Amino acid sequence: MANMDILNLEEQFEQVKNETNQADLLTLLKEIKQDHFPNVLAKSAEYREKYGDDPQLVQLLLLIEAVSHAQIGVPKQFNLNYLKLITF
């Protein structure tokens, strides 16, 4: 069975990327690809604060944080912000 990208981050980043956040998103993507999930969590939180006026980017960063927590196996206290990501 072929691998299937459930969450193609490069594609998602392209949708929210602009001149202001491009360098930060590339840095975050590099950390993700190198499996440096503690760094991803730190940078994502920083970028959520920095780019808080962009709700689409903030939503993507929260999703990345949830995936990062799962990857490093650290249970995060239940956070309702993650539920906002689930839309049907």
Side-chain angles (χ1 to χ4, degrees):
M1 179 178 211
N3 287 341
M4 192 170 135
D5 284 337
I6 301 294
L7 176 63
N8 184 331
L9 291 178
E10 291 176 359
E11 183 178 297
Q12 295 294 317
F13 281 171
E14 282 297 319
Q15 293 177 10
V16 296
K17 181 177 72 173
N18 59 40
E19 289 181 11
T20 306
N21 66 23
Q22 182 175 359
D24 289 334
L25 293 180
L26 289 175
T27 299
L28 189 61
L29 188 59
K30 181 180 175 183
E31 294 286 351
I32 292 167
K33 287 182 176 184
Q34 294 176 347
D35 294 338
H36 294 161
F37 295 109
N39 293 351
V40 171
L41 290 169
K43 288 184 187 319
S44 180
E46 175 189 337
Y47 298 160
R48 276 193 294 113
E49 186 174 324
K50 186 175 182 179
Y51 303 113
D53 61 338
D54 184 345
Q56 187 178 1
L57 177 56
V58 169
Q59 186 176 28
L60 178 58
L61 292 171
L62 284 170
L63 180 59
I64 289 169
E65 288 177 33
V67 171
S68 295
H69 280 291
Q71 288 293 324
I72 60 178
V74 176
K76 181 166 174 48
Q77 187 175 13
F78 189 74
N79 185 337
L80 292 178
N81 285 328
Y82 295 143
L83 284 181
K84 292 178 187 175
L85 297 174
I86 304 171
T87 57
F88 295 97

